[in-house]
């Protein structure tokens, strides 16, 4: 078993409190750019998507919607799982998210892949 | 620290930008947001400035707690002299713009002059550029924001902009961000349009240092838990403000057919539960866990398939009960149109409702309305009139001038049918059964309005100990009566004044009114604000100091209005509130009108509690105590 953040994009309301608390917890300041998690506005009825991995952010935040971004969205939607350092087992983002778009859970290693 | 944000004075005429520090002494006295805006408006605007001329200033700000750990800290405030009323133009807007402005290094913008060509402001990490916006002129609100994201190659920019209504100087045009967040009231979009300013775009990577990070995290979590534990928040999470309609209409608090009734019969089609069919989820403003914003796709009619956000309770009235329409699709379509084109939903609905009553009474005819059949309940006519007002087409051109000017053009005694105060139309609420709410709309500094001073909890007839907890000595001393009956005139002046201070504090701190005592007595107010300020910024302000700061700013708004010609006569209800009893509703709401003498008595009491004289002018003693009389006007 392993710990994961389970992301339910459909429940995300785009409030970005996860970004705020992550950056405050890690840096003592509010700064989305220094938050491990970022909320991406997908546009229109598609809603929002919390994204954890830094490697994906550059692609996401770019103006154009390229194939890399689309693939990554698909990956997030498929698994809904992400990993970070989890604030020592008490992830600030999941604790703050009252919309239950983020949950800290244990799951089988195979599910994470 | 979090309070390093600067003030930028931007002159669009000579394209200059001057950046200034905001002294801590000024922050302590006016906090930020609307509080400090009032100070800036008073000092940067010359008396009698043309609201649509270059000498008017438009102030854009975040609150003292903007972007910080304060439950919902994304509120942005905008102020100017109103082209609708000639008095304080002031509106508060949710979304994400204010935090982004702060991340970019600015807490307040003072914008004056008029750009020679359509322009937008690009505010990016301490730099402000005035850029060409000719290619954006004519675009609607959604197109403008998308085009700017594309142009700046950054999906995370946050934009305030106007739509076609603002460009055409519709006197109740809005400033918009996102799909539905609107600085809706008092016509600030027209001010922006008059300055040839299409948009303000912010992007910042700066850090807002929290004074006590761990404690602030914990306190914010506990405040959020407390907010979400209230019935009101839980309901808002599912239905948004639309939930209000079912109860208020059932009682008879909903203005219907302009002012002909106080209850829409067979109005179930407008109730919030109908959103289940069209909703695709909810949206939230920055940091907010209440997420009261519906996200929906229109299913029927000319706009089928269109994505939109909202509507609020105000639109249920504006395009529902006030115009006698019972089809939620009309509300959804009109909500989309006013957001797309950038117009105030309430003023738009009021103007159409007023015209409909004139039409039904034969005061205007098809010859006046360009052949549009303006009978109550004509859904297609309502949608068409929204389009025509936004485009200033035909009769819409007259309605786009707002209530008093439109009545001046129409003549024929039409002014008597307006439901306006100080030149601004009211929410679709009917305050004849509720004296406290009536006093609130009469005295609000920006005209008829429900979120400047409304003691919303008064209509619950709460247990007296609850009212005592909220209103007695919290934090300012009060020894007068408190009465837990909404039909009473006793003690209501204080409740209105208390809410005035509370909402001013909320707007100055940059948090949301749904997170304070407005519709629930169990939400945060001064004591909690004091703690939030200390943990986030390190600034120690007692609850009473925050109250005093709110009082100072509200007094400045009053002084601004007096400077522009306000008298006691402007703090007055429409005549029909006194002369026409409510025809419908439950016994508690039916057959009610406001007693003129008791209202005047309540107004006297309200002035007295404010330390204003009988004409409504702040006394020299009050100004001295608040330090406004000696406030140096050149400090910023």
């Amino acid at each position: 078993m392993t710990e994961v953040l389970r992301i339910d994009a459909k429940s995300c309301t785009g409030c970005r409190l996860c970004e705020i608390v992550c950056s405050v917890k890690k840096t003592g300041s509010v700064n989305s750019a220094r938050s491990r998690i970022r909320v991406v506005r997908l546009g229109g009825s598609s809603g929002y998507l919390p994204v954890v991995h830094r490697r994906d952010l550059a692609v996401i935040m770019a103006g154009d919607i390229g194939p890399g971004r689309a693939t990554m969205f698909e990956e997030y939607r498929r698994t809904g799982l992400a990993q970070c350092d989890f604030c020592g087992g008490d992830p600030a983002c999941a604790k703050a998210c009252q919309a239950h778009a983020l949950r800290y859970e244990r799951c089988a290693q195979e599910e994470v892949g | 620290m979090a309070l390093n944000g600067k003030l930028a004075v931007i002159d669009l005429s000579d394209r200059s930008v001057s950046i200034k520090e905001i002294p801590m002494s000024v922050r302590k006295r006016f906090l930020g947001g609307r509080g400090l805006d009032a100070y800036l408006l008073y000092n940067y605007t010359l008396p009698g400035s043309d609201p649509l001329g270059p000498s008017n200033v438009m102030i854009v700000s975040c609150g003292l707690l903007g972007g910080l750990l304060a439950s919902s800290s994304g509120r942005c405030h905008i102020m100017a002299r109103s082209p609708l009323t000639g008095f304080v133009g002031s509106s508060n807007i949710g979304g994400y713009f204010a935090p982004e402005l702060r991340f970019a290094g600015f807490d307040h913008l003072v914008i004056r002059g008029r750009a020679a060509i359509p322009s937008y402001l690009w505010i990016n990490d301490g730099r402000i550029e005035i850029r060409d916006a000719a290619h954006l002129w004519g675009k609607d609100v959604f197109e403008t924001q998308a085009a700017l994201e594309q142009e700046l190659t950054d999906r995370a920019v946050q934009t305030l902009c106007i739509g076609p209504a603002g460009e055409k100087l519709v006197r109740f045009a809005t400033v918009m961000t996102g799909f539905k967040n609107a600085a809706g009231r008092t016509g600030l979009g027209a001010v922006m349009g008059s300055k040839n300013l299409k948009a303000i775009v912010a992007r910042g990577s700066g850090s807002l240092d929290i004074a006590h990070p761990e404690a602030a995290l914990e306190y914010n979590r506990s405040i959020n838990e407390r907010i979400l534990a209230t019935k009101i928040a839980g309901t808002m999470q599912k239905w948004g403000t639309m939930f209000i309609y079912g109860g208020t209409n059932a009682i008879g608090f909903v203005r219907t057919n302009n002012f002909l009734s106080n209850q829409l019969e067979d109005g179930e089609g407008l109730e919030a539960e109908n959103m289940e069919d069209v909703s695709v989820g909810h949206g939230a403003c920055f940091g907010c866990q209440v997420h009261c914003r519906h996200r929906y796709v229109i299913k029927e009619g000319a706009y089928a398939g269109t994505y939109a956000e909202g509507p609020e309770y105000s639109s249920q009235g504006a395009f529902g009960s006030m115009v006698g329409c019972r089809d939620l699709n009309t509300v959804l379509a009109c909500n989309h149109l006013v957001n797309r084109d950038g117009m105030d939903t309430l003023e738009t609905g009021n103007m159409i409702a007023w015209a409909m009553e004139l039409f039904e009474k034969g005061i205007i005819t098809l010859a006046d309305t360009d052949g549009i059949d303006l009978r109550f309940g004509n859904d297609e006519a309502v949608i068409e009139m929204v389009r025509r007002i936004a485009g200033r087409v035909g009769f819409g051109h007259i309605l786009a001038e707002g209530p008093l000017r439109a009545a001046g053009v129409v003549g024929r005694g039409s002014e008597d049918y307006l439901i306006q105060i100080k030149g601004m139309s009211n929410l679709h609420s009917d305050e004849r059964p509720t004296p406290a709410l009536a006093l609130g709309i009469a005295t609000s500094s920006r005209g008829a309005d429900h979120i400047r001073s409304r003691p919303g909890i008064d209509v619950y007839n709460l247990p007296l100990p609850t009212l005592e907890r909220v209103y007695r000595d919290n934090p300012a001393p009060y020894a007068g009566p408190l009465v837990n009956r909404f039909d009473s005139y006793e003690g209501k002046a204080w409740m209105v004044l208390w809410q005035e201070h509370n909402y001013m504090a909320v707007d100055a701190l940059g948090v949301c009114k749904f997170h304070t005592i407005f519709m629930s007595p169990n939400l945060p107010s001064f004591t909690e604000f004091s703690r939030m300020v200390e943990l986030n910024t390190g600034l120690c302000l007692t609850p009473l100091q925050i109250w005093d700061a709110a009082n100072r700013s509200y007094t400045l708004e009053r002084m601004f209005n007096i400077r522009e010609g306000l008298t006691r006569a402007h703090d007055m209800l429409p005549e029909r509130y006194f002369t026409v009893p409510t025809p419908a509703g439950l016994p508690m709401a039916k057959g009610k009108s406001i007693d003129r003498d008791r209202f005047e008595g309540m107004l006297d009491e309200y002035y007295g509690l404010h330390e204003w004289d009988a004409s409504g002018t702040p006394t020299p003693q009050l100004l001295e105590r608040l330090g406004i009389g000696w406030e140096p006007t050149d400090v910023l």
Side-chain angles (χ1 to χ4, degrees):
Chain A
M1 299 293 282
T2 186
E3 288 80 22
V4 294
L5 273 180
R6 189 175 292 276
I7 297 172
D8 176 10
K10 283 186 177 171
S11 297
C12 179
T13 62
C15 77
R16 297 169 57 189
L17 183 59
C18 54
E19 293 180 10
I20 302 169
V21 297
C22 178
S23 67
V24 172
K25 181 92 174 174
K26 300 297 186 188
T27 72
S29 64
V30 180
N31 185 338
S32 293
R34 296 167 78 180
S35 168
R36 183 72 184 268
I37 190 163
R38 299 287 291 275
V39 176
V40 180
R41 176 171 43 84
L42 301 179
S45 58
S46 300
Y48 310 92
L49 178 65
V51 175
V52 173
H53 298 294
R54 281 182 186 277
R55 63 182 163 79
D56 301 329
L57 285 176
V59 184
I60 292 167
M61 303 314 285
D64 296 325
I65 298 176
R69 188 162 177 259
T71 304
M72 192 196 50
F73 285 156
E74 181 56 35
E75 179 69 9
Y76 265 83
R77 286 193 183 288
R78 187 178 64 77
T79 66
L81 300 179
Q83 290 188 295
C84 72
D85 67 358
F86 301 132
C87 299
D90 185 23
C93 58
K95 201 156 84 175
C97 181
Q98 299 290 325
H100 308 299
L102 300 172
R103 278 174 302 191
Y104 181 55
E105 294 181 353
R106 291 179 66 80
C107 76
Q109 186 65 49
E110 300 80 59
E111 193 180 350
V112 179
Chain B
M1 67 185 296
L3 301 182
N4 291 332
K6 304 290 194 294
L7 161 73
V9 181
I10 301 153
D11 193 318
L12 296 170
S13 295
D14 64 15
R15 301 178 67 81
S16 66
V17 176
S18 168
I19 296 175
K20 305 179 180 192
E21 300 285 338
I22 301 174
M24 196 54 71
S25 59
V26 173
R27 287 198 189 272
K28 286 179 180 173
R29 293 166 56 72
F30 297 96
L31 304 178
R34 177 181 158 202
L36 188 43
D37 286 356
Y39 172 87
L40 294 169
L41 182 71
Y42 192 86
N43 290 315
Y44 272 91
T45 311
L46 293 172
S49 295
D50 176 4
L52 296 179
S55 61
N56 197 7
V57 299
M58 190 175 107
I59 301 155
V60 177
S61 64
C62 70
L64 190 81
L65 290 172
L68 304 178
L69 281 164
S71 78
S72 178
S73 57
R75 304 297 300 190
C76 173
H77 203 82
I78 306 180
M79 239 189 216
R81 187 179 180 211
S82 167
L84 187 68
T85 67
F87 298 123
V88 164
S90 174
S91 204
N92 200 270
I93 182 169
Y96 316 95
F97 180 85
E100 202 65 37
L101 180 68
R102 201 165 221 194
F103 297 148
F106 298 96
D107 282 6
H108 291 259
L109 309 175
V110 174
I111 303 165
R112 59 187 177 190
R114 182 177 190 270
I117 56 170
S119 303
Y120 77 90
L121 295 178
W122 170 226
I123 302 173
N124 184 19
D125 277 338
R127 295 183 302 278
I128 298 179
E129 293 176 39
I130 303 171
R131 290 188 168 190
D132 183 359
H135 59 299
L136 301 172
W137 208 253
K139 288 188 185 300
D140 69 36
V141 164
F142 313 142
E143 292 168 342
T144 301
Q145 294 177 81
L148 284 164
E149 284 181 18
Q150 196 77 23
E151 180 173 324
L152 297 164
T153 63
D154 189 345
R155 292 174 57 83
V157 298
Q158 299 297 335
T159 301
L160 289 180
C161 70
I162 57 171
E167 294 175 11
K168 293 178 189 299
L169 309 184
V170 172
R171 285 184 185 269
F172 41 90
T174 52
V175 180
M176 303 289 299
T177 184
F179 272 88
K180 66 84 65 178
N181 299 300
R185 309 238 66 191
T186 67
L188 297 164
V191 175
M192 211 161 146
S194 74
K195 295 186 175 306
N196 257 334
L197 184 62
K198 180 67 177 175
I200 306 170
V201 193
R203 185 75 170 102
S205 60
S207 294
L208 306 178
D209 294 340
I210 304 292
H212 306 284
E214 283 296 335
L217 277 168
E218 182 55 29
Y219 191 65
N220 191 52
R221 190 189 59 74
S222 69
I223 287 289
N224 270 324
E225 283 183 359
R226 179 173 151 194
I227 291 169
L228 296 180
T230 62
K231 290 189 281 285
I232 210 84
T235 309
M236 294 267 280
Q237 282 185 314
K238 187 162 176 59
W239 303 117
T241 54
M242 290 182 79
F243 87 90
I244 303 168
Y245 176 85
T248 52
N249 191 46
I251 295 169
F253 286 163
V254 169
R255 196 150 57 82
T256 299
N257 292 356
N258 197 32
F259 200 70
L260 294 177
S261 186
N262 54 314
Q263 187 176 55
L264 182 68
E265 290 183 17
D266 304 321
E268 294 81 5
L270 298 180
E271 291 185 7
E273 287 79 355
N274 297 292
M275 286 301 290
E276 288 234 309
D277 295 337
V278 295
S279 179
V280 294
H282 289 83
C285 297
F286 188 85
C288 176
Q289 298 302 286
V290 176
H291 59 74
C292 65
R293 191 170 73 234
H294 287 286
R295 300 168 43 240
Y296 68 92
V297 176
I298 299 172
K299 282 198 169 171
E300 295 177 24
Y303 297 94
T306 302
Y307 172 78
E309 295 182 1
E312 301 284 348
Y313 177 55
S314 51
S315 292
Q316 284 168 297
F319 308 117
S321 64
M322 274 202 299
V323 291
C325 291
R326 292 164 172 79
D327 186 349
L328 187 66
N329 285 300
T330 301
V331 173
L332 298 181
C334 291
N335 174 64
H336 161 66
L337 289 175
V338 294
N339 289 337
R340 184 194 71 180
D341 294 341
M343 289 197 301
D344 179 17
T345 192
L346 276 177
E347 206 66 56
T348 305
N350 267 284
M351 294 310 298
I352 299 170
W354 169 71
M356 285 178 144
E357 187 172 358
L358 298 181
F359 188 85
E360 296 241 356
K361 285 187 156 62
I363 296 170
I364 61 173
T365 66
L366 290 172
D368 298 288
T369 65
D370 313 314
I372 296 178
D373 178 12
L374 281 184
R375 277 178 296 184
F376 287 119
N378 186 344
D379 295 77
E380 288 182 11
V382 171
I383 294 171
E384 180 58 24
M385 281 313 304
V386 173
R387 285 193 288 250
R388 289 184 180 218
I389 293 170
R392 280 188 175 270
V393 176
F395 188 55
H397 180 62
I398 295 172
L399 299 187
E401 285 294 290
L404 293 179
R405 287 176 182 82
V409 173
V410 171
R412 291 168 262 179
S414 59
E415 187 173 340
D416 295 344
Y417 300 94
L418 293 170
I419 304 302
Q420 62 80 28
I421 294 164
K422 300 184 180 76
M424 189 169 88
S425 301
N426 192 25
L427 177 73
H428 60 283
S429 52
D430 192 325
E431 293 82 3
R432 284 175 287 184
T434 51
L437 275 55
L439 180 68
I441 62 168
T443 55
S444 154
S445 59
R446 68 174 180 181
D449 192 75
H450 59 289
I451 45 177
R452 282 299 169 115
S453 57
R454 173 156 292 184
I457 60 174
D458 190 41
V459 300
Y460 305 153
N461 288 349
L462 292 165
L464 205 49
T466 305
L467 289 191
E468 292 281 341
R469 171 173 59 79
V470 171
Y471 293 115
R472 181 80 68 198
D473 303 335
N474 176 28
Y478 174 66
L482 286 170
V483 178
N484 61 346
R485 288 180 56 98
F486 69 67
D487 60 354
S488 172
Y489 290 73
E490 264 194 287
K492 305 304 178 183
W494 175 256
M495 290 168 72
V496 167
L497 183 145
W498 190 93
Q499 295 288 168
E500 237 171 38
H501 285 59
N502 191 42
Y503 297 155
M504 174 59 93
V506 163
D507 289 340
L509 296 174
V511 295
C512 181
K513 290 193 179 72
F514 294 147
H515 294 224
T516 189
I517 296 173
F518 175 15
M519 291 192 283
S520 166
N522 299 318
L523 290 169
S525 66
F526 295 96
T527 302
E528 293 82 0
F529 299 157
S530 171
R531 187 79 177 135
M532 288 177 195
V533 169
E534 183 182 359
L535 294 177
N536 277 283
T537 70
L539 203 57
C540 292
L541 295 173
T542 65
L544 193 56
Q545 284 175 311
I546 294 174
W547 169 278
D548 284 342
N551 191 10
R552 191 173 288 117
S553 297
Y554 203 86
T555 304
L556 265 183
E557 287 187 353
R558 183 75 181 181
M559 288 170 65
F560 179 90
N561 282 346
I562 289 171
R563 199 170 74 179
E564 301 299 343
L566 185 99
T567 66
R568 179 178 175 120
H570 290 97
D571 291 335
M572 192 47 61
L573 298 166
E575 181 64 13
R576 287 200 279 180
Y577 274 71
F578 300 112
T579 57
V580 182
T582 48
L586 300 178
M588 64 179 79
K590 189 174 181 179
K592 306 292 183 185
S593 58
I594 296 293
D595 182 284
R596 195 186 304 271
D597 290 341
R598 299 188 78 182
F599 178 82
E600 292 282 0
M602 204 164 48
L603 190 57
D604 284 335
E605 184 186 353
Y606 166 84
Y607 284 174
L609 289 166
H610 255 302
E611 297 178 65
W612 301 349
D613 65 21
S615 71
T617 303
T619 59
Q621 294 83 354
L622 173 67
L623 300 184
E624 179 64 25
R625 188 167 63 74
L626 294 176
I628 296 175
W630 46 263
E631 183 71 28
T633 56
D634 59 350
V635 73
L636 283 177

